[in-house]
Amino acid sequence: MNYIAELNSFYARLLTRPLSSEAQALWGVLMHLFNRAGWPPRLTLAASTLLGFLGYSYATLSRARGELVAVGLLVHTPRPGRLAPYYELHPLSGKAVDKSVDNPVDKPRLTLVKPICQS
C-alpha cells in the first residue's frame, strides 16, 4: 500500500462520510502497525496492543472497530478462545498492495555524505 495515498484517500473520504474520532484514531493506529509490519494481507493484533496505543476502554475499542467494519474499511476476524483476532485493512486509494517497496515511510533511506577532505 502507498501510505501517503491511503492517508489522503482516508481524509478525503471523511469529508463526505464522517467517522467518530475513536474510529479515525483506530484506523490511524492500524495503518501504522500494518506499515511497520511491511503491509501483510492481515495482522494478528491483541486488543491490549491497540488499547496501549489508543488509551480507550475495551468497549470503546469494540465500538470503533465495529464502525470501521460497518463502513467497509476493516475486516475483523475473531479467533477461538483467547487468541488475538486477525485484522485486514481495505485499500482506499484504489491502488494494489505494493510489496516491492523496500523503503517504508517510517524507515527513511539514508543518503551517505562523503566527508570533505581538507588539504
Side-chain angles (χ1 to χ4, degrees):
M1 268 191 220
N2 180 313
Y3 197 95
I4 300 301
E6 289 301 307
L7 286 175
N8 288 335
S9 296
F10 179 75
Y11 287 106
R13 183 191 184 285
L14 287 178
L15 296 173
T16 57
R17 290 171 271 177
L19 293 169
S20 68
S21 59
E22 293 85 2
Q24 291 177 44
L26 175 57
W27 185 87
V29 167
L30 290 168
M31 282 290 291
H32 168 72
L33 294 172
F34 271 82
N35 182 55
R36 294 286 299 183
W39 301 108
R42 66 182 182 177
L43 274 179
T44 303
L45 294 167
S48 59
T49 300
L50 297 172
L51 293 173
F53 277 99
L54 298 164
Y56 295 162
S57 67
Y58 184 78
T60 302
L61 171 63
S62 294
R63 277 194 305 275
R65 181 176 55 212
E67 189 176 347
L68 293 176
V69 168
V71 298
L73 296 177
L74 178 67
V75 174
H76 170 254
T77 307
R79 294 173 52 198
R82 298 184 54 85
L83 295 174
Y86 293 120
Y87 288 85
E88 298 174 49
L89 283 176
H90 285 196
L92 290 166
S93 65
K95 296 179 181 178
V97 174
D98 182 3
K99 293 278 189 177
S100 67
V101 176
D102 63 351
N103 187 25
V105 170
D106 62 347
K107 296 178 185 172
R109 181 175 293 144
L110 300 175
T111 56
L112 300 176
V113 179
K114 293 183 182 179
I116 298 174
C117 297
Q118 295 182 10
S119 318

